[in-house]
Amino acid sequence: MSELMIEASEVSRRFGKTDVLKSVDLAIQRGMVVGLLGTNGCGKSTLIKCLLGLLRVSGGTARLLCEDPWDLSAAAKARLGYVPQEVKLYPWMTVAQVISYTAAFYPHWDFALTEHLVQQWDLPRDRRIGPLSPGQMQKLGLILALGHRPELLILDEPVASLDPVARREFLKSLLEVIQDEKHTVLFSTHITSDLERVASHVAILKQGQVELFEDLDTVKDRIKRLRISASEALPQSFAVEGALRTEVEDRVALVAAANVSEQMVSDLRSRWQAEVTVEDLNLEEIFLELHR
């Protein structure tokens, strides 16, 4: 059995009378690259902070690297990398100084990797951190998280302040780090095209609960859009099993369905004497269909 790097069992978290997380279950194994998706306010950052031990859970249990996140050992922390939404560092230090300072905490720091990333991402080594732009701060945060080649990397909207070129460079570097399939990543972002490039699995958080957690290829194989053109007008009661959305106008129906199969398509053609076209959906379209 693969090692569980992250485990949440019936995790809940409330702030006052507001339940942000409601009985969240999630199990991430070694080697998975999991994209965490959800609308604003659905609880993504709260879940990540609970998993990291930055917030106490209100109910249920969380495990990180087989330990209680609230009381992580130094050995577990040495295996972990984290980039928050907003990177905060000592403003009086230079870029080079903060890298050296951070490296001192890790016995196996990869100076060659961090130097390569500093040059590739065009960070000014001798400039103080205080005046850096948000994009430069985010690049630096990523370098500090990757420098010790962590076994588990947790990213909370890590590319929000990066331009498209910088995002592409970061994803390329991330792919280089995780290519041995021994590294595990939990990657929260709104940019679904980025997730499609790197993720092996996708977890969708909706109203404080994990609505879907699956292999990304499996999700894309089973959730499709059907265009149905029948020989006669379709009834307004027209329905397809597993439909996420159905629009009917005269002889034509547009259906997004969760479990499309060849048998389903064959049955629709036969029953309604219809032409049925199956359309693939990208991750953004799937996300939108699940949230309609």
Side-chain angles (χ1 to χ4, degrees), residues 7-13 20-26 46-47 50-51 56-63 208-209:
E7 186 175 14
S9 177
E10 297 185 351
V11 165
S12 63
R13 171 67 195 192
V20 177
L21 300 178
K22 308 170 187 176
S23 192
V24 170
D25 291 314
L26 188 64
T46 299
L47 175 59
C50 286
L51 294 173
R56 275 194 184 274
V57 300
S58 301
T61 58
R63 305 285 289 176
Q209 294 182 311

Side-chain angles (χ1 to χ4, degrees), residues 35-39 42 44 187-192 195 202-206 283-284 287 291:
L36 180 62
L37 291 175
T39 57
C42 73
K44 298 190 301 299
F187 187 167
S188 170
T189 183
H190 286 103
I191 307 173
T192 54
L195 288 186
V202 60
I204 294 180
L205 200 62
K206 184 176 181 180
L283 184 55
E284 180 175 348
F287 178 78
H291 282 75

Side-chain angles (χ1 to χ4, degrees), residues 189-223:
T189 183
H190 286 103
I191 307 173
T192 54
S193 59
D194 287 349
L195 288 186
E196 286 193 272
R197 292 189 62 202
V198 299
S200 64
H201 292 69
V202 60
I204 294 180
L205 200 62
K206 184 176 181 180
Q207 296 178 345
Q209 294 182 311
V210 175
E211 179 185 35
L212 179 148
F213 177 46
E214 233 175 307
D215 180 281
L216 178 56
D217 289 338
T218 300
V219 172
K220 294 174 76 172
D221 281 344
R222 70 178 184 83
I223 300 180

